[in-house]
Amino acid sequence: MPDRPVLMLLLGDVVRLRRRHPCGGDTWLVDRLGADIGLRCQSCGRHVLLERAILERRLAGFLERGNPELTAASTPEPGRARP
């Protein structure tokens, strides 16, 4: 397995993927982070989940970066359970 750094994704990122969605759109909003990444098509609003490794392979680039404070607030600290 190659030793690549983990891609830093933020909630609210707008990304472009290499392949177009069937609706014709190619821009996606990141709205869920974890092992699976939640993406919402900016053209039709369809929501999909992609494994992080698949997203990293299909990513063509970032169009906008999300808010780091929002991402930090919604991500639990390691070792702490949510109330």
Side-chain angles (χ1 to χ4, degrees):
M1 183 157 190
D3 290 327
R4 293 189 313 190
V6 175
L7 178 66
M8 185 63 185
L9 290 169
L10 302 172
L11 287 176
D13 281 349
V14 178
V15 297
R16 175 170 284 137
L17 300 183
R18 297 190 191 283
R19 287 192 264 176
R20 290 188 172 273
H21 189 243
C23 75
D26 65 348
T27 58
W28 298 82
L29 174 71
V30 176
D31 65 358
R32 179 183 187 276
L33 296 175
D36 292 327
I37 307 300
L39 300 172
R40 185 161 306 276
C41 179
Q42 295 291 91
S43 297
C44 69
R46 172 76 67 176
H47 187 262
V48 299
L49 290 174
L50 283 180
E51 293 178 18
R52 183 177 284 272
I54 293 172
L55 176 65
E56 289 180 6
R57 284 195 305 266
R58 292 184 183 178
L59 184 69
F62 290 94
L63 300 178
E64 293 177 30
R65 291 304 301 214
N67 186 343
E69 289 83 23
L70 177 66
T71 303
S74 65
T75 306
E77 293 180 26
R80 288 190 72 185
R82 289 191 172 187

